[in-house]
Amino acid sequence: MQKDFFIYQAQTTKFAAGFEVERAEGSYIYGTNGKKYLDFVAGVSANTLGHSHPKIVNTIKEQAEKYLHVMVYGEYAQEKPVALCKLLAEATPDPLEITYLVNSGAEAIDGSLKLAKRYTGREEIISFKNSYHGNTHGALSVSGNETHKREFRPLLPMVNFIEFNNESDFEKITDKTACVIMETIQGAAGFLVPNPDYLIKLKERCEAVGALLILDEIQPGFGRTGKLFSFEHFGIVPDILVMGKGMGGGVPVGAFMSSRKIMETLAHSPKLGHITTFGGNPLIAASSYATLKEVLESGLMNEIDEKEKLYRELLIHPKIKNINGKGLMLAVNLGAPEYTLEVAKTCMEKGLIVFWQLYRNEYLRISPPLTISKEEIVEGCKIILDVLNEN
């Protein structure tokens, strides 16, 4: 299988692991080599409830026996997509009330940018240096790392960048700005958290000039920081909320959410302001609904702070410079990209899956399932510390 993987499936790097997966359950992935691996990555924050959660598996089976794709987005009323959008509206603060379901976080970013331009009638977009929003042309245009962008230019025009946590840059947000798009917690840059009151002041600036605030919650959303969405920690509500990754519990999905007044502008002048064939797919919506319902009702979010504290208490070592992040999205600074990659490789050999941050490879990524137990956290952290001691 590994040989065919490298021959027939397109690669994104020259050093893919090619790890052969047999099955996955709970906090573990099992290889065809007979070994099990504790997963501290959760599919890069996608497997919110761990692997093969029975409620997700069962609801997918039930939906598959009823029907799969029946019509393009927005034409037919289907039980699970409607239930998912209704539950999202009930679980989020006003004025968030209506959801557009799409296929991925990157598509949701593109849709949100179109929505902001359509609603405001403006063209300028403000994003942040070192931000990451995805790899479609629109999402790449508002991502803030030139190394990852330069070979694909020209990208969207009229996109300008400001510094995360720098309030003096607010003057660049003007009455020409359609929207400001921001990761509530910067992901690829090393899980950077906004300063106290920063988001409040940013929202005030947007309101003062008539720009919309888009918050990208693709990584921190769905309970990962102890709240359903991380903006709830910071005293504001975005005009447009973008979600993906952990929303589906392991299936491909994305969505953007806003007030009805804003969202309805995609339905006219022109009609079909955004259209997607498989967005709102009933199988995907069933999994997403089961995930959201479990996150809301299980009490898992109440455990996040304690689990974060346990990681921070255990991961103390001379080679660890600092730990960024919030909740179960933590970035462990090991000082040098080459060393971090070697640590990740050795951890894998010892039965622990960890990863690294896209832009800041010196940071070891820890983003386990929300369902991870304290015993599993202790087990995994011991492996990390053993590797740091050996290397």
Side-chain angles (χ1 to χ4, degrees):
M1 180 166 60
Q2 187 183 81
K3 179 181 177 181
D4 286 350
F5 169 71
F6 287 114
I7 293 174
Y8 299 110
Q9 189 169 343
Q11 305 299 303
T12 57
T13 70
K14 294 295 185 181
F15 50 86
F19 169 58
E20 295 184 348
V21 178
E22 175 69 27
R23 63 185 179 89
E25 182 178 354
S27 299
Y28 292 88
I29 299 176
Y30 297 80
T32 57
N33 58 5
K35 289 180 61 176
K36 72 174 185 177
Y37 300 81
L38 178 58
D39 187 3
F40 268 18
V41 179
V44 190
S45 301
N47 297 99
T48 299
L49 302 177
H51 298 282
S52 304
H53 191 285
K55 290 185 178 179
I56 293 178
V57 172
N58 289 336
T59 196
I60 289 174
K61 288 179 178 177
E62 290 170 6
Q63 183 59 48
E65 290 174 351
K66 293 180 180 179
Y67 57 89
L68 300 179
H69 177 70
V70 292
M71 179 51 75
V72 296
Y73 181 86
E75 292 296 321
Y76 290 0
Q78 302 170 65
E79 178 190 0
K80 291 304 183 182
V82 171
L84 172 61
C85 293
K86 182 178 180 180
L87 188 56
L88 278 168
E90 293 171 348
T92 51
D94 293 335
L96 300 173
E97 58 184 334
I98 187 167
T99 301
Y100 198 122
L101 300 171
V102 293
N103 298 284
S104 69
E107 186 191 355
I109 292 292
D110 281 22
S112 72
L113 297 174
K114 291 168 64 180
L115 177 58
K117 286 183 172 182
R118 174 66 185 85
Y119 180 75
T120 63
R122 301 175 182 180
E123 298 178 3
E124 181 188 56
I125 298 169
I126 300 289
S127 187
F128 287 78
K129 297 174 183 177
N130 294 315
S131 61
Y132 176 77
H133 297 286
N135 266 271
T136 57
H137 261 68
L140 193 62
S141 298
V142 295
S143 295
N145 185 293
E146 184 59 25
T147 300
H148 287 255
K149 295 165 61 169
R150 68 167 62 98
E151 301 303 326
F152 305 104
R153 291 191 177 278
L155 296 170
L156 286 181
M158 300 188 69
V159 179
N160 296 311
F161 293 86
I162 61 178
E163 289 187 3
F164 189 78
N165 277 332
N166 183 356
E167 295 177 22
S168 64
D169 271 356
F170 288 172
E171 65 183 21
K172 298 176 184 178
I173 305 167
T174 70
D175 58 9
K176 294 182 174 62
T177 306
C179 62
V180 176
I181 182 167
M182 174 185 168
E183 297 166 277
T184 315
I185 296 175
Q186 277 203 329
F191 290 162
L192 303 181
V193 178
N195 294 332
D197 297 334
Y198 178 78
L199 275 170
I200 292 174
K201 293 175 181 177
L202 176 61
K203 181 70 185 296
E204 289 173 349
R205 177 63 179 178
C206 289
E207 290 176 342
V209 300
L212 299 185
L213 177 61
I214 302 173
L215 287 185
D216 177 346
E217 292 264 357
I218 293 170
Q219 291 202 62
F222 288 81
R224 186 155 291 279
T225 66
K227 300 284 188 181
L228 185 60
F229 293 103
S230 64
F231 72 79
E232 297 175 76
H233 293 286
F234 303 109
I236 62 110
V237 181
D239 297 294
I240 303 174
L241 173 65
V242 179
M243 61 195 84
K245 285 194 184 293
M247 176 181 182
V251 297
V253 66
F256 55 104
M257 192 176 189
S258 73
S259 67
R260 182 172 301 278
K261 181 181 179 182
I262 294 174
M263 188 69 78
E264 67 183 4
T265 60
L266 286 181
H268 64 89
S269 309
K271 63 184 177 183
L272 305 179
H274 189 74
I275 190 64
T276 173
T277 299
F278 289 110
N281 177 275
L283 200 70
I284 302 302
S287 181
S288 298
Y289 177 78
T291 300
L292 177 57
K293 194 171 177 62
E294 182 71 7
V295 168
L296 291 171
E297 296 179 358
S298 64
L300 280 171
M301 288 189 286
N302 297 329
E303 302 173 5
I304 300 301
D305 284 350
E306 194 171 350
K307 290 176 180 179
E308 176 188 354
K309 289 177 183 176
L310 182 57
Y311 271 112
R312 291 185 179 276
E313 289 170 0
L314 293 171
L315 291 177
I316 296 174
H317 192 279
K319 293 179 182 176
I320 295 176
K321 312 301 181 185
N322 66 285
I323 300 177
N324 292 338
K326 190 172 183 62
L328 291 182
M329 51 185 303
L330 300 173
V332 180
N333 185 357
L334 298 182
E338 297 79 9
Y339 181 63
T340 302
L341 297 179
E342 184 62 32
V343 167
K345 179 182 177 182
T346 308
C347 283
M348 183 78 173
E349 293 169 357
K350 292 179 176 290
L352 176 69
I353 297 172
V354 287
F355 212 50
W356 51 88
Q357 301 299 90
L358 180 61
Y359 297 160
R360 301 288 301 275
N361 294 165
E362 68 269 32
Y363 281 96
L364 197 69
R365 178 196 183 95
I366 294 179
S367 57
L370 307 193
T371 50
I372 194 165
S373 69
K374 293 178 183 178
E375 291 76 16
E376 289 165 342
I377 293 173
V378 172
E379 175 189 346
C381 288
K382 183 181 184 303
I383 293 174
I384 293 173
L385 294 173
D386 287 346
V387 171
L388 295 179
N389 285 332
E390 294 171 7
N391 290 271

